[in-house]
Amino acid sequence: SASADSAARESTAAVLVDSSAMSGFKEHLQGVRADVARRRNERRGEPPLEFRLRPVPTARRLWANAMGGRLGIGSDGNRVALVTEPKTGLKLPGEYCVNGGKCAPLTGMGVRIKRIAGIGVKVYACGLYVDPASVRAAVGDRYVGESVKDVAKDQALFDAVNGDPAVEKTVRLVFARDIDSAKIRDALSERLRPALGDDSPSLGRFEAYFDGVTFEKGQSLTFTASGGKLITSFGSKEAGQIADGKLCTALFDAYLGKSPVVPSAKESLGEQLAGHVTG
């Protein structure tokens, strides 16, 4: 019958989408592994691999459709799967690219917990994105041969990351509950004001971004420090850019400084970076 033929065609199409999508994803994983091997060889002084497998455009589209669009675009045009923060179940992109330019991997992850009446309330999942190669360039051979465990806890490493405008860095917050943006603004301003002063034009512009905004559960707030500019985005929409190196340093001090608002994110970032700067 016509209905049976239609059902058969739909079933066949579903199988084709699934198999093609999985094929594309497997090729993507092979590409990632090849890239890791190439970078490792470059650090060792060995000739880099000259090939990299990439999924064909059709397979990439099919895989994205099969995943319901829950993937981002990586630095090489491949699809990058999202990473789940385990305590909140919220997802962060495995790689973050700024304005279609430089991309950095997810190198630190944690959850902001606010204690209210003695109860820990999850506020947001936090992802930190820093290119380990740029950090290695910033610190040179200072940590070569040292203990990874010790370097991961060395505040001087985080100060080098935060203090060097050539090291592009991003922090992405994904909210675990609906929250008035004024609460986020006030919490950040409290950290920024001592470094910038009450009359700072940059602080005024920054605070104005949050006027009339409400963050819903699952929505993201992203800050990127790039070349002395702070880029702020709500979801996929850029709110603005402020050219102020002091603002960049003060904001990221909230996440990389001696008293981070998300200690687990800073800790995991240190572990990741230490492995790159000690070898």
Side-chain angles (χ1 to χ4, degrees), residues 5 16 18 22 52-53 97 121 132 166 184 188-189 241 270 274 279:
D5 291 342
L16 289 174
D18 185 63
M22 289 304 297
R52 183 170 185 185
L53 296 175
C97 306
V121 177
I184 301 298
L188 290 171
S189 295
Q241 301 185 17

Side-chain angles (χ1 to χ4, degrees), residues 27-41:
E27 290 182 4
H28 168 65
L29 290 180
Q30 289 176 315
V32 171
R33 294 187 184 111
D35 191 44
V36 170
R38 176 180 61 79
R39 293 183 182 180
R40 184 184 298 116
N41 290 338

